[in-house]
Amino acid sequence: MSQKVDSVSYYIELSNFYLKGNNFQPALEYSQKAIDVAQKSENKNAEANAYTFLGGIYFELKKYDDAIETYVRSTALYNDLDPSTEQAYCYYNLGLCYMEKGGYATAEIYFDKANIIYEKINIPDAKELLNLQKGILYKAKGKSKLAAGIFNKIIAKLDSDDQFKTKAEALYQMGCIEFESGLNSLSMNYLNRALELNAKSDNLEQKSKIYKKISEVYEKMMDIDNSFLFLKKHLVLQDSIQTLNNKKIGALEYEKFKESERMKTIKQQDKENREAQKLLKVSKLTSILSIALISILSLLSFSLYKNNNIKKKSNKLLQEKNSELEIAKDKAERALLARAEFLSTVSHELRTPLNAINGITHLMIDEDPKESQKEYLQSLKFSGTYLLTFINEILEINRIESNNIEIEKIGFNLKQLLSDIQNALKELASQNNVDFELEIDEKICKIFNGDPTKLSQIFLNLINNALKFTENGKVTVKANLLEETDISQKIHFEIVDSGIGIPLEKQEIIFESFSQGSIEINRKYGGTGLGLAIVKRLVTLLGGTIGLESSPQKGSNFNFTLVMEKGIECDDEIKFYTSDSDFVNKKILLVEDNKINQMVTKKMLEKKKILCEIVDNGEDAIEAARNNKYDLILMDVHLPGINGTIATQNIRDFDDKTPIIALTAISLNENREMLLSFGMNDVITKPFNPDNFYKVIAETMRN
């Protein structure tokens, strides 16, 4: 048996040798010999692998119908075996065949089957291939935003992590999407990056289509010379590809091979028929039994025929119902997407005027107003801060629900993080006469690798709630070590208060969006009802589960457990902005198109004796950076003409030293990692807190 299996492997290796040399005739013949040997040895696994290899040759020859027929034979054999990478790869190739034929719905079914198997056998890296194809499917269906979300995740990966060479294709697809949206400069940026990555591979088909799309973009930009140049490159490459394809196998040789296959099948059937005839001649009894058997089979066939008709009718009804469900599903998805986009747009558009309100309020408070005006200004500052919190929570819940959120992995000091939060909330604790304490297990590490921003969001929401709903009482934050390994610690966190508590019937819905337990609580204490919904989703993202123990008038205990990776402790102190002398006579370029924000930001910079120069578009920003020396550039992301990201990328072509900070009323489809990938050093979100504004500027200039 093992010798037969070895023969199968030997023939497949021979076939692969000829395949690499573009000699397809012997490649087909040896793959068929591998199938014959596997069938004789009755080795299903070897036979399935041989059929999969033959299907790959058909796919290479663009004989997609023959490839589909061969892959289907493979899947029928694999279904009797344990799940394997070969079975998942076979389903993936079936999906590719239907993609080439335009059968996107069927392709998606096979990609999903491949994904299920990869998850079963725990091969997460292979999902990159499937995610790329899912993105292409969404794009083909006109769901460009869903497709862009997938492509951007692939693009964000490091080149060294791109094992399956998917990043170049994702960049090309994003270039096509931006081109269809009329964003020619952004499209060209993606296509050029795709071309750079393609140079590291031998994917001629991909290079050809990139050349063609670049030619189309140049044509739209009225750059006829470059358009003609890249069209010529495309045509030359297409001729080379066609020449290679012509050398693969002629139509006559291919038909001879297929005819040979058919003749083998006919001979096999003829052999079986002769053996059946010999058996029929053995005796009359055998003949009678055969006639009786045929009669029975006829009755069964008639019964099957009737059942088949009934089944067809049932299938037709099921198809109609499935179509209705598909339509309803699409409507629901569109409604959810429209809701997310609407809330994101509203929160984004509110940030620009809110930035002006908060900025002007800050400036007026610092200008020593009259005592009669201070109360009004403090109220205005409080209202602006409250509105900003509300907008941020809407954007955060949308971002989490749309899965447009990533987990950072950076070093941070957990004890310092909790201490900073305690200091930040001391005033709120004092207002409610609350004793606010930290109890941190001494065995807990100092430094961890993780996402301190999301951990801070969790603690700020939970502690802020505890302080808000507690008067003349106590709030305690506890952190206890449960388990420890060489690389991680399992820590149990508790936020315990002696406040108003939560009734049992309200505890099940308290973590839902816009839920605060009752209208009376909302009227008395305020808030959006989004904080705990955000907490629950963030804890889940970090690998934990939020728990709650509470009784009315006795207080509440919110708790969760996280496994946290140990970090490397460092004795070097991090220097933060401490003195206004960091700013004196520094020269900053402000790129901002909104006149009010120009005035507010310039005033805030000049208060620190900073020299501020203003331009209102990306093109002027590039020229100003080229012709002048600045200590820092504040770059608005959304600008008329060239946007801030493209302007930054162009500046980085000739200046990689001047710090650039993004100023953005960040939206649902933006994130810090995406903005930094264009060459920016840091991000300040509008409307910005003045203290944080100065801190980020000082630290960026120092670094």
Side-chain angles (χ1 to χ4, degrees), residues 352-353 355-364 367 590-607 610 612-616 634 663 686 688 693-694:
T352 298
N355 185 54
I357 292 169
N358 286 359
I360 293 171
T361 303
H362 172 76
L363 292 171
M364 292 178 71
E367 289 177 359
L590 172 62
V591 188
E592 169 67 72
D593 64 318
N594 184 279
K595 299 299 181 184
I596 297 176
N597 282 337
Q598 286 178 3
M599 180 269 290
V600 171
T601 308
K602 184 177 181 181
K603 285 278 188 184
M604 292 180 69
L605 293 173
E606 289 176 345
K607 277 176 61 66
I610 294 172
C612 177
E613 183 180 325
I614 298 175
V615 295
D616 61 5
L634 292 173
L663 290 177
K686 296 179 187 175
F688 42 75
F693 176 71
Y694 294 131

mmCIF file of all heavy atoms in Angstrom, residues 352-353 355-364 367 590-607 610 612-616 634 663 686 688 693-694:
data_model
loop_
_atom_site.group_PDB
_atom_site.id
_atom_site.type_symbol
_atom_site.label_atom_id
_atom_site.label_comp_id
_atom_site.label_asym_id
_atom_site.label_seq_id
_atom_site.Cartn_x
_atom_site.Cartn_y
_atom_site.Cartn_z
ATOM 1 N N THR A 352 -16.430 70.439 14.703
ATOM 2 C CA THR A 352 -15.801 71.685 14.250
ATOM 3 C C THR A 352 -16.355 72.898 14.998
ATOM 4 O O THR A 352 -15.589 73.683 15.574
ATOM 5 C CB THR A 352 -15.970 71.839 12.735
ATOM 6 O OG1 THR A 352 -15.298 70.750 12.084
ATOM 7 C CG2 THR A 352 -15.371 73.151 12.256
ATOM 8 N N PRO A 353 -17.707 73.100 15.048
ATOM 9 C CA PRO A 353 -18.190 74.246 15.837
ATOM 10 C C PRO A 353 -17.931 74.081 17.332
ATOM 11 O O PRO A 353 -17.685 75.057 18.038
ATOM 12 C CB PRO A 353 -19.700 74.267 15.540
ATOM 13 C CG PRO A 353 -20.039 72.901 15.063
ATOM 14 C CD PRO A 353 -18.816 72.419 14.337
ATOM 15 N N ASN A 355 -15.339 72.699 18.660
ATOM 16 C CA ASN A 355 -13.943 73.062 18.870
ATOM 17 C C ASN A 355 -13.809 74.576 19.044
ATOM 18 O O ASN A 355 -13.068 75.062 19.897
ATOM 19 C CB ASN A 355 -13.098 72.593 17.683
ATOM 20 C CG ASN A 355 -11.624 72.825 17.898
ATOM 21 O OD1 ASN A 355 -11.060 72.399 18.896
ATOM 22 N ND2 ASN A 355 -10.991 73.533 16.976
ATOM 23 N N ALA A 356 -14.569 75.341 18.207
ATOM 24 C CA ALA A 356 -14.536 76.801 18.321
ATOM 25 C C ALA A 356 -15.114 77.253 19.660
ATOM 26 O O ALA A 356 -14.556 78.126 20.341
ATOM 27 C CB ALA A 356 -15.311 77.419 17.166
ATOM 28 N N ILE A 357 -16.237 76.646 20.076
ATOM 29 C CA ILE A 357 -16.881 77.023 21.347
ATOM 30 C C ILE A 357 -15.943 76.762 22.522
ATOM 31 O O ILE A 357 -15.697 77.635 23.360
ATOM 32 C CB ILE A 357 -18.204 76.246 21.528
ATOM 33 C CG1 ILE A 357 -19.243 76.707 20.487
ATOM 34 C CG2 ILE A 357 -18.756 76.446 22.938
ATOM 35 C CD1 ILE A 357 -20.463 75.819 20.420
ATOM 36 N N ASN A 358 -15.372 75.543 22.584
ATOM 37 C CA ASN A 358 -14.484 75.200 23.691
ATOM 38 C C ASN A 358 -13.217 76.048 23.680
ATOM 39 O O ASN A 358 -12.724 76.485 24.727
ATOM 40 C CB ASN A 358 -14.115 73.716 23.636
ATOM 41 C CG ASN A 358 -15.266 72.830 24.066
ATOM 42 O OD1 ASN A 358 -16.335 73.324 24.419
ATOM 43 N ND2 ASN A 358 -15.079 71.535 24.033
ATOM 44 N N GLY A 359 -12.669 76.279 22.465
ATOM 45 C CA GLY A 359 -11.443 77.064 22.362
ATOM 46 C C GLY A 359 -11.634 78.499 22.790
ATOM 47 O O GLY A 359 -10.838 79.066 23.552
ATOM 48 N N ILE A 360 -12.727 79.140 22.308
ATOM 49 C CA ILE A 360 -12.997 80.539 22.662
ATOM 50 C C ILE A 360 -13.291 80.655 24.161
ATOM 51 O O ILE A 360 -12.852 81.588 24.833
ATOM 52 C CB ILE A 360 -14.158 81.088 21.818
ATOM 53 C CG1 ILE A 360 -13.733 81.187 20.345
ATOM 54 C CG2 ILE A 360 -14.595 82.464 22.326
ATOM 55 C CD1 ILE A 360 -14.866 81.507 19.395
ATOM 56 N N THR A 361 -14.031 79.693 24.723
ATOM 57 C CA THR A 361 -14.322 79.697 26.170
ATOM 58 C C THR A 361 -13.029 79.639 26.973
ATOM 59 O O THR A 361 -12.837 80.377 27.944
ATOM 60 C CB THR A 361 -15.213 78.493 26.533
ATOM 61 O OG1 THR A 361 -16.406 78.541 25.752
ATOM 62 C CG2 THR A 361 -15.583 78.519 28.003
ATOM 63 N N HIS A 362 -12.114 78.733 26.563
ATOM 64 C CA HIS A 362 -10.822 78.609 27.254
ATOM 65 C C HIS A 362 -10.042 79.923 27.198
ATOM 66 O O HIS A 362 -9.480 80.372 28.207
ATOM 67 C CB HIS A 362 -10.007 77.487 26.602
ATOM 68 C CG HIS A 362 -8.599 77.398 27.089
ATOM 69 N ND1 HIS A 362 -8.266 76.858 28.311
ATOM 70 C CD2 HIS A 362 -7.437 77.808 26.518
ATOM 71 C CE1 HIS A 362 -6.960 76.939 28.472
ATOM 72 N NE2 HIS A 362 -6.428 77.507 27.396
ATOM 73 N N LEU A 363 -10.035 80.557 26.009
ATOM 74 C CA LEU A 363 -9.299 81.818 25.861
ATOM 75 C C LEU A 363 -9.896 82.915 26.743
ATOM 76 O O LEU A 363 -9.170 83.691 27.377
ATOM 77 C CB LEU A 363 -9.304 82.258 24.396
ATOM 78 C CG LEU A 363 -8.494 81.377 23.428
ATOM 79 C CD1 LEU A 363 -8.757 81.799 21.991
ATOM 80 C CD2 LEU A 363 -7.003 81.451 23.738
ATOM 81 N N MET A 364 -11.222 82.998 26.807
ATOM 82 C CA MET A 364 -11.886 84.039 27.593
ATOM 83 C C MET A 364 -11.658 83.843 29.098
ATOM 84 O O MET A 364 -11.458 84.810 29.831
ATOM 85 C CB MET A 364 -13.379 84.065 27.271
ATOM 86 C CG MET A 364 -13.689 84.550 25.855
ATOM 87 S SD MET A 364 -15.447 84.525 25.485
ATOM 88 C CE MET A 364 -16.015 85.882 26.519
ATOM 89 N N GLU A 367 -8.304 85.114 30.081
ATOM 90 C CA GLU A 367 -8.102 86.561 29.935
ATOM 91 C C GLU A 367 -8.668 87.347 31.117
ATOM 92 O O GLU A 367 -8.986 88.531 30.998
ATOM 93 C CB GLU A 367 -8.717 87.030 28.617
ATOM 94 C CG GLU A 367 -7.932 86.549 27.397
ATOM 95 C CD GLU A 367 -8.591 86.956 26.081
ATOM 96 O OE1 GLU A 367 -9.669 87.598 26.130
ATOM 97 O OE2 GLU A 367 -8.035 86.629 25.020
ATOM 98 N N LEU A 590 0.311 76.097 10.762
ATOM 99 C CA LEU A 590 -1.045 75.595 10.990
ATOM 100 C C LEU A 590 -1.756 75.469 9.649
ATOM 101 O O LEU A 590 -1.921 76.452 8.930
ATOM 102 C CB LEU A 590 -1.821 76.553 11.905
ATOM 103 C CG LEU A 590 -3.314 76.253 12.084
ATOM 104 C CD1 LEU A 590 -3.529 74.886 12.725
ATOM 105 C CD2 LEU A 590 -3.982 77.341 12.907
ATOM 106 N N VAL A 591 -2.158 74.234 9.297
ATOM 107 C CA VAL A 591 -2.888 73.973 8.044
ATOM 108 C C VAL A 591 -4.344 73.715 8.418
ATOM 109 O O VAL A 591 -4.694 72.650 8.924
ATOM 110 C CB VAL A 591 -2.296 72.762 7.290
ATOM 111 C CG1 VAL A 591 -2.947 72.643 5.915
ATOM 112 C CG2 VAL A 591 -0.785 72.881 7.172
ATOM 113 N N GLU A 592 -5.215 74.686 8.189
ATOM 114 C CA GLU A 592 -6.614 74.640 8.651
ATOM 115 C C GLU A 592 -7.464 75.507 7.715
ATOM 116 O O GLU A 592 -7.113 76.665 7.443
ATOM 117 C CB GLU A 592 -6.687 75.156 10.087
ATOM 118 C CG GLU A 592 -8.078 75.421 10.620
ATOM 119 C CD GLU A 592 -8.894 74.145 10.770
ATOM 120 O OE1 GLU A 592 -8.614 73.349 11.672
ATOM 121 O OE2 GLU A 592 -9.810 73.972 9.932
ATOM 122 N N ASP A 593 -8.594 74.975 7.223
ATOM 123 C CA ASP A 593 -9.409 75.737 6.270
ATOM 124 C C ASP A 593 -10.560 76.488 6.948
ATOM 125 O O ASP A 593 -11.136 77.391 6.347
ATOM 126 C CB ASP A 593 -9.970 74.797 5.188
ATOM 127 C CG ASP A 593 -10.911 73.753 5.756
ATOM 128 O OD1 ASP A 593 -10.603 73.204 6.832
ATOM 129 O OD2 ASP A 593 -11.952 73.481 5.134
ATOM 130 N N ASN A 594 -10.905 76.143 8.193
ATOM 131 C CA ASN A 594 -12.008 76.815 8.885
ATOM 132 C C ASN A 594 -11.494 78.091 9.562
ATOM 133 O O ASN A 594 -10.581 78.049 10.384
ATOM 134 C CB ASN A 594 -12.613 75.864 9.931
ATOM 135 C CG ASN A 594 -13.821 76.463 10.621
ATOM 136 O OD1 ASN A 594 -13.671 77.257 11.540
ATOM 137 N ND2 ASN A 594 -15.009 76.084 10.184
ATOM 138 N N LYS A 595 -12.086 79.246 9.199
ATOM 139 C CA LYS A 595 -11.582 80.543 9.672
ATOM 140 C C LYS A 595 -11.654 80.670 11.198
ATOM 141 O O LYS A 595 -10.748 81.203 11.834
ATOM 142 C CB LYS A 595 -12.377 81.688 9.014
ATOM 143 C CG LYS A 595 -12.269 81.728 7.493
ATOM 144 C CD LYS A 595 -10.829 81.943 7.039
ATOM 145 C CE LYS A 595 -10.736 82.014 5.514
ATOM 146 N NZ LYS A 595 -9.324 82.117 5.062
ATOM 147 N N ILE A 596 -12.752 80.197 11.800
ATOM 148 C CA ILE A 596 -12.890 80.302 13.256
ATOM 149 C C ILE A 596 -11.837 79.449 13.951
ATOM 150 O O ILE A 596 -11.170 79.885 14.899
ATOM 151 C CB ILE A 596 -14.307 79.888 13.704
ATOM 152 C CG1 ILE A 596 -15.349 80.845 13.099
ATOM 153 C CG2 ILE A 596 -14.411 79.881 15.219
ATOM 154 C CD1 ILE A 596 -16.769 80.464 13.402
ATOM 155 N N ASN A 597 -11.655 78.217 13.463
ATOM 156 C CA ASN A 597 -10.642 77.353 14.062
ATOM 157 C C ASN A 597 -9.235 77.909 13.855
ATOM 158 O O ASN A 597 -8.345 77.712 14.685
ATOM 159 C CB ASN A 597 -10.734 75.943 13.478
ATOM 160 C CG ASN A 597 -11.887 75.164 14.084
ATOM 161 O OD1 ASN A 597 -12.333 75.470 15.189
ATOM 162 N ND2 ASN A 597 -12.388 74.168 13.374
ATOM 163 N N GLN A 598 -9.016 78.580 12.715
ATOM 164 C CA GLN A 598 -7.727 79.251 12.507
ATOM 165 C C GLN A 598 -7.472 80.263 13.622
ATOM 166 O O GLN A 598 -6.394 80.302 14.231
ATOM 167 C CB GLN A 598 -7.710 79.971 11.150
ATOM 168 C CG GLN A 598 -7.586 79.063 9.945
ATOM 169 C CD GLN A 598 -7.624 79.854 8.641
ATOM 170 O OE1 GLN A 598 -7.688 81.086 8.648
ATOM 171 N NE2 GLN A 598 -7.582 79.142 7.525
ATOM 172 N N MET A 599 -8.496 81.101 13.878
ATOM 173 C CA MET A 599 -8.361 82.165 14.875
ATOM 174 C C MET A 599 -8.134 81.588 16.275
ATOM 175 O O MET A 599 -7.224 82.004 16.993
ATOM 176 C CB MET A 599 -9.618 83.046 14.856
ATOM 177 C CG MET A 599 -9.607 84.204 15.852
ATOM 178 S SD MET A 599 -10.341 83.743 17.465
ATOM 179 C CE MET A 599 -12.076 83.578 16.988
ATOM 180 N N VAL A 600 -8.942 80.565 16.645
ATOM 181 C CA VAL A 600 -8.854 79.984 17.987
ATOM 182 C C VAL A 600 -7.500 79.311 18.197
ATOM 183 O O VAL A 600 -6.808 79.538 19.193
ATOM 184 C CB VAL A 600 -10.002 78.974 18.217
ATOM 185 C CG1 VAL A 600 -9.782 78.211 19.521
ATOM 186 C CG2 VAL A 600 -11.340 79.689 18.245
ATOM 187 N N THR A 601 -7.097 78.467 17.230
ATOM 188 C CA THR A 601 -5.838 77.732 17.371
ATOM 189 C C THR A 601 -4.641 78.686 17.406
ATOM 190 O O THR A 601 -3.710 78.522 18.202
ATOM 191 C CB THR A 601 -5.678 76.720 16.223
ATOM 192 O OG1 THR A 601 -6.856 75.910 16.139
ATOM 193 C CG2 THR A 601 -4.484 75.813 16.471
ATOM 194 N N LYS A 602 -4.663 79.706 16.532
ATOM 195 C CA LYS A 602 -3.559 80.670 16.509
ATOM 196 C C LYS A 602 -3.446 81.398 17.850
ATOM 197 O O LYS A 602 -2.352 81.589 18.393
ATOM 198 C CB LYS A 602 -3.755 81.668 15.371
ATOM 199 C CG LYS A 602 -2.593 82.656 15.230
ATOM 200 C CD LYS A 602 -2.790 83.591 14.044
ATOM 201 C CE LYS A 602 -1.602 84.534 13.909
ATOM 202 N NZ LYS A 602 -1.766 85.482 12.792
ATOM 203 N N LYS A 603 -4.598 81.821 18.416
ATOM 204 C CA LYS A 603 -4.595 82.510 19.712
ATOM 205 C C LYS A 603 -3.995 81.610 20.801
ATOM 206 O O LYS A 603 -3.209 82.064 21.646
ATOM 207 C CB LYS A 603 -6.025 82.894 20.099
ATOM 208 C CG LYS A 603 -6.585 84.084 19.330
ATOM 209 C CD LYS A 603 -6.117 85.396 19.923
ATOM 210 C CE LYS A 603 -6.835 86.585 19.281
ATOM 211 N NZ LYS A 603 -6.304 87.860 19.808
ATOM 212 N N MET A 604 -4.384 80.331 20.784
ATOM 213 C CA MET A 604 -3.879 79.404 21.800
ATOM 214 C C MET A 604 -2.370 79.209 21.667
ATOM 215 O O MET A 604 -1.654 79.091 22.661
ATOM 216 C CB MET A 604 -4.606 78.062 21.704
ATOM 217 C CG MET A 604 -6.076 78.142 22.094
ATOM 218 S SD MET A 604 -6.924 76.562 21.987
ATOM 219 C CE MET A 604 -6.143 75.684 23.323
ATOM 220 N N LEU A 605 -1.861 79.179 20.428
ATOM 221 C CA LEU A 605 -0.424 79.041 20.217
ATOM 222 C C LEU A 605 0.317 80.311 20.640
ATOM 223 O O LEU A 605 1.368 80.251 21.290
ATOM 224 C CB LEU A 605 -0.142 78.732 18.742
ATOM 225 C CG LEU A 605 -0.632 77.370 18.241
ATOM 226 C CD1 LEU A 605 -0.457 77.262 16.737
ATOM 227 C CD2 LEU A 605 0.105 76.229 18.927
ATOM 228 N N GLU A 606 -0.251 81.469 20.261
ATOM 229 C CA GLU A 606 0.421 82.733 20.577
ATOM 230 C C GLU A 606 0.443 83.011 22.081
ATOM 231 O O GLU A 606 1.316 83.730 22.569
ATOM 232 C CB GLU A 606 -0.250 83.877 19.826
ATOM 233 C CG GLU A 606 0.027 83.826 18.323
ATOM 234 C CD GLU A 606 -0.705 84.908 17.546
ATOM 235 O OE1 GLU A 606 -1.636 85.519 18.120
ATOM 236 O OE2 GLU A 606 -0.347 85.143 16.376
ATOM 237 N N LYS A 607 -0.521 82.437 22.847
ATOM 238 C CA LYS A 607 -0.506 82.582 24.311
ATOM 239 C C LYS A 607 0.770 81.991 24.902
ATOM 240 O O LYS A 607 1.239 82.414 25.961
ATOM 241 C CB LYS A 607 -1.731 81.894 24.931
ATOM 242 C CG LYS A 607 -2.992 82.740 24.912
ATOM 243 C CD LYS A 607 -4.179 81.965 25.459
ATOM 244 C CE LYS A 607 -3.956 81.546 26.906
ATOM 245 N NZ LYS A 607 -3.900 82.700 27.816
ATOM 246 N N ILE A 610 4.354 81.257 20.786
ATOM 247 C CA ILE A 610 4.721 80.484 19.597
ATOM 248 C C ILE A 610 4.459 81.336 18.364
ATOM 249 O O ILE A 610 3.447 82.030 18.275
ATOM 250 C CB ILE A 610 3.907 79.173 19.519
ATOM 251 C CG1 ILE A 610 4.279 78.253 20.679
ATOM 252 C CG2 ILE A 610 4.119 78.466 18.186
ATOM 253 C CD1 ILE A 610 3.397 77.024 20.802
ATOM 254 N N CYS A 612 3.176 81.576 14.761
ATOM 255 C CA CYS A 612 2.224 80.731 14.002
ATOM 256 C C CYS A 612 2.020 81.288 12.596
ATOM 257 O O CYS A 612 1.718 82.467 12.416
ATOM 258 C CB CYS A 612 0.892 80.650 14.736
ATOM 259 S SG CYS A 612 -0.362 79.712 13.849
ATOM 260 N N GLU A 613 2.172 80.412 11.604
ATOM 261 C CA GLU A 613 1.887 80.767 10.208
ATOM 262 C C GLU A 613 0.732 79.889 9.732
ATOM 263 O O GLU A 613 0.698 78.694 10.049
ATOM 264 C CB GLU A 613 3.131 80.527 9.349
ATOM 265 C CG GLU A 613 2.950 80.929 7.890
ATOM 266 C CD GLU A 613 4.227 80.671 7.082
ATOM 267 O OE1 GLU A 613 5.334 80.841 7.629
ATOM 268 O OE2 GLU A 613 4.095 80.305 5.903
ATOM 269 N N ILE A 614 -0.215 80.463 8.960
ATOM 270 C CA ILE A 614 -1.436 79.734 8.582
ATOM 271 C C ILE A 614 -1.525 79.589 7.066
ATOM 272 O O ILE A 614 -1.285 80.545 6.322
ATOM 273 C CB ILE A 614 -2.695 80.460 9.106
ATOM 274 C CG1 ILE A 614 -2.681 80.532 10.634
ATOM 275 C CG2 ILE A 614 -3.961 79.748 8.625
ATOM 276 C CD1 ILE A 614 -3.823 81.342 11.210
ATOM 277 N N VAL A 615 -1.882 78.356 6.592
ATOM 278 C CA VAL A 615 -2.318 78.124 5.206
ATOM 279 C C VAL A 615 -3.612 77.326 5.282
ATOM 280 O O VAL A 615 -3.863 76.641 6.273
ATOM 281 C CB VAL A 615 -1.264 77.373 4.371
ATOM 282 C CG1 VAL A 615 -0.006 78.201 4.202
ATOM 283 C CG2 VAL A 615 -0.934 76.015 4.992
ATOM 284 N N ASP A 616 -4.438 77.427 4.233
ATOM 285 C CA ASP A 616 -5.771 76.812 4.330
ATOM 286 C C ASP A 616 -6.011 75.662 3.359
ATOM 287 O O ASP A 616 -7.144 75.246 3.150
ATOM 288 C CB ASP A 616 -6.859 77.883 4.127
ATOM 289 C CG ASP A 616 -6.779 78.546 2.759
ATOM 290 O OD1 ASP A 616 -5.944 78.120 1.924
ATOM 291 O OD2 ASP A 616 -7.553 79.508 2.524
ATOM 292 N N LEU A 634 0.968 71.554 12.262
ATOM 293 C CA LEU A 634 -0.353 71.064 12.683
ATOM 294 C C LEU A 634 -1.197 70.920 11.431
ATOM 295 O O LEU A 634 -1.518 71.905 10.771
ATOM 296 C CB LEU A 634 -1.000 72.051 13.654
ATOM 297 C CG LEU A 634 -0.330 72.186 15.031
ATOM 298 C CD1 LEU A 634 -0.986 73.311 15.816
ATOM 299 C CD2 LEU A 634 -0.410 70.889 15.812
ATOM 300 N N LEU A 663 -4.632 67.106 13.006
ATOM 301 C CA LEU A 663 -5.783 67.696 13.701
ATOM 302 C C LEU A 663 -7.026 67.177 12.989
ATOM 303 O O LEU A 663 -7.222 67.444 11.811
ATOM 304 C CB LEU A 663 -5.749 69.229 13.614
ATOM 305 C CG LEU A 663 -4.665 69.952 14.417
ATOM 306 C CD1 LEU A 663 -4.747 71.439 14.151
ATOM 307 C CD2 LEU A 663 -4.821 69.699 15.901
ATOM 308 N N LYS A 686 -10.203 66.858 17.460
ATOM 309 C CA LYS A 686 -11.041 68.039 17.700
ATOM 310 C C LYS A 686 -12.378 67.596 18.296
ATOM 311 O O LYS A 686 -12.918 66.572 17.881
ATOM 312 C CB LYS A 686 -11.330 68.765 16.378
ATOM 313 C CG LYS A 686 -10.135 69.342 15.673
ATOM 314 C CD LYS A 686 -10.639 69.990 14.368
ATOM 315 C CE LYS A 686 -9.512 70.463 13.492
ATOM 316 N NZ LYS A 686 -10.031 70.961 12.197
ATOM 317 N N PHE A 688 -10.252 69.812 20.974
ATOM 318 C CA PHE A 688 -9.192 69.331 21.837
ATOM 319 C C PHE A 688 -9.216 70.009 23.205
ATOM 320 O O PHE A 688 -9.618 71.151 23.349
ATOM 321 C CB PHE A 688 -7.822 69.513 21.198
ATOM 322 C CG PHE A 688 -7.632 70.828 20.485
ATOM 323 C CD1 PHE A 688 -7.440 72.001 21.179
ATOM 324 C CD2 PHE A 688 -7.636 70.859 19.097
ATOM 325 C CE1 PHE A 688 -7.258 73.188 20.510
ATOM 326 C CE2 PHE A 688 -7.460 72.060 18.428
ATOM 327 C CZ PHE A 688 -7.270 73.228 19.137
ATOM 328 N N PHE A 693 -3.593 69.479 24.340
ATOM 329 C CA PHE A 693 -3.110 70.124 23.118
ATOM 330 C C PHE A 693 -1.655 70.573 23.301
ATOM 331 O O PHE A 693 -0.773 70.256 22.496
ATOM 332 C CB PHE A 693 -4.028 71.302 22.796
ATOM 333 C CG PHE A 693 -3.613 72.135 21.611
ATOM 334 C CD1 PHE A 693 -3.718 71.646 20.331
ATOM 335 C CD2 PHE A 693 -3.137 73.421 21.796
ATOM 336 C CE1 PHE A 693 -3.361 72.416 19.236
ATOM 337 C CE2 PHE A 693 -2.772 74.201 20.717
ATOM 338 C CZ PHE A 693 -2.883 73.699 19.428
ATOM 339 N N TYR A 694 -1.390 71.311 24.403
ATOM 340 C CA TYR A 694 -0.032 71.794 24.653
ATOM 341 C C TYR A 694 0.920 70.630 24.962
ATOM 342 O O TYR A 694 2.079 70.626 24.534
ATOM 343 C CB TYR A 694 -0.032 72.780 25.825
ATOM 344 C CG TYR A 694 -0.787 74.066 25.549
ATOM 345 C CD1 TYR A 694 -1.730 74.564 26.457
ATOM 346 C CD2 TYR A 694 -0.571 74.792 24.375
ATOM 347 C CE1 TYR A 694 -2.424 75.743 26.217
ATOM 348 C CE2 TYR A 694 -1.257 75.976 24.122
ATOM 349 C CZ TYR A 694 -2.188 76.454 25.043
ATOM 350 O OH TYR A 694 -2.865 77.607 24.788
#
